[in-house]
Amino acid sequence: MSAGAGGVVLPESQTVPHSARPSLRLKVEQASYAYAASDRSAPKFTLGPVSFEAQQRELVAILGPNASGKSTLLKLLAGLLKPLSGRIEVDGSEVSELDLRVRAQKIALVAQESELLFPLRVWEYVLQGRYPYGRRLRFESDEDCLLAGNALAQVGADALRDRWMDHLSGGEKQRVILARALVQQPSLLLLDEPTQHLDIGGKVELLRRLRRLADESRYSVIVVTHELNLAAEFSDRIVLMHKGKSPRIGTPAEVYQRELLEEVFDAPLEVEVGYSGRPRVILRGNH
């Protein structure tokens, strides 16, 4: 059996209609960006040019050491920065030319930190994701409530709806933040270091949820992360970043080459095949 569009289970022998097959969601074409370092004596940072694509129901991980350009690339994808050259398109529309409201309907960004300006219950917080559709918190429609309830259920946070946001654990809060992003009904779901404050169990659970969201829905999921082994386990493709460039883009098996990873991360590494058949990176002992 296999999952078709919308998570419908189809027999392996049944052909998926052309209209239900994965479509191109994100196209990054020779995109570049540059800005001066905060320390004026430091050289200007230049990103790119970078080119890659993301299909519907794909999970793409952006990997690299600190200051390699991962977060800058994510901001370009989100439309928070405009490329100096090249194009970034979502559903065929150039991101930098989209109206803010339309952009928020197509792209949802889960940032590293989500500041709460005033106390909110989980239900109210999730409903904020409907703002791009002209809703107001006091006048949510039946559709808004249905979407919010479905989003909380998708991330396993339905029981949290009446809790206060500032009373949640790190893992609970991350699930609720993800639910608010899902309520936007985006084509493209962007996450910046979503596992940063989670323990190993929470990290695995979150990546499994993201994998399931990509498999069972129309989302393309882009995750910036430092988690090499989790990225290899759950991603369809890897965008490897190093000093503002992307030396390799491909499947985990294509990107996880020992010499390349050692150069990028400046550490003695070994790459082996894990139990799942995916590559696994381990630190090579110094003897």
Side-chain angles (χ1 to χ4, degrees), residues 96-273:
S96 61
E97 295 180 356
L98 290 175
D99 173 82
L100 289 177
R101 185 180 295 274
V102 175
R103 187 194 306 165
Q105 293 172 1
K106 289 183 173 292
I107 304 170
L109 172 64
V110 177
Q112 287 188 31
E113 303 290 343
S114 295
E115 184 180 1
L116 288 173
L117 300 179
F118 49 87
L120 282 176
R121 292 190 186 274
V122 166
W123 182 251
E124 298 167 329
Y125 182 83
V126 172
L127 279 172
Q128 288 183 339
R130 298 302 294 165
Y131 280 3
Y133 297 89
R135 309 301 187 190
R136 295 294 182 267
L137 196 58
R138 296 180 184 177
F139 305 108
E140 62 270 11
S141 68
D142 291 341
E143 180 188 13
D144 294 333
C145 292
L146 178 62
L147 290 170
N150 287 343
L152 285 168
Q154 277 185 291
V155 301
D158 189 58
L160 303 175
R161 64 170 62 204
D162 295 323
R163 297 267 302 275
W164 292 99
M165 285 294 296
D166 56 356
H167 292 172
L168 301 181
S169 68
E172 290 171 335
K173 185 176 294 184
Q174 191 63 273
R175 279 185 279 159
V176 172
I177 293 171
L178 178 57
R180 185 178 70 167
L182 298 182
V183 165
Q184 291 178 227
Q185 297 185 288
S187 298
L188 185 64
L189 182 59
L190 309 176
L191 301 99
D192 192 5
E193 297 285 1
T195 62
Q196 186 175 24
H197 301 300
L198 303 180
D199 58 28
I200 183 60
K203 292 176 181 180
V204 172
E205 178 190 8
L206 179 61
L207 265 296
R208 279 180 177 157
R209 290 189 186 280
L210 294 176
R211 178 71 266 173
R212 193 175 302 120
L213 286 170
D215 288 338
E216 298 178 355
S217 68
R218 63 189 179 86
Y219 304 115
S220 295
V221 181
I222 312 292
V223 182
V224 166
T225 181
H226 284 287
E227 305 287 344
L228 271 70
N229 288 327
L230 288 180
E233 194 68 30
F234 292 102
S235 300
D236 295 294
R237 278 185 291 158
I238 304 290
V239 177
L240 185 64
M241 300 298 298
H242 182 46
K243 297 180 179 178
K245 305 296 182 183
S246 184
R248 187 75 55 84
I249 297 172
T251 65
E254 292 169 338
V255 173
Y256 283 51
Q257 302 297 315
R258 182 178 65 81
E259 295 84 357
L260 175 62
L261 295 185
E262 284 189 328
E263 178 183 355
V264 169
F265 292 99
D266 192 26
L269 304 173
E270 291 286 354
V271 179
E272 60 183 23
V273 178

Side-chain angles (χ1 to χ4, degrees), residues 47-119:
L47 173 74
V50 177
S51 298
F52 69 97
E53 297 178 350
Q55 302 285 339
Q56 183 182 11
R57 299 198 295 271
E58 273 194 331
L59 194 158
V60 178
I62 301 175
L63 295 177
N66 290 334
S68 61
K70 302 186 301 297
S71 292
T72 300
L73 177 56
L74 200 70
K75 290 176 181 177
L76 287 170
L77 302 183
L80 301 179
L81 298 175
K82 184 176 181 179
L84 292 182
S85 62
R87 292 174 60 86
I88 298 176
E89 297 180 357
V90 174
D91 291 338
S93 299
E94 189 165 3
V95 172
S96 61
E97 295 180 356
L98 290 175
D99 173 82
L100 289 177
R101 185 180 295 274
V102 175
R103 187 194 306 165
Q105 293 172 1
K106 289 183 173 292
I107 304 170
L109 172 64
V110 177
Q112 287 188 31
E113 303 290 343
S114 295
E115 184 180 1
L116 288 173
L117 300 179
F118 49 87

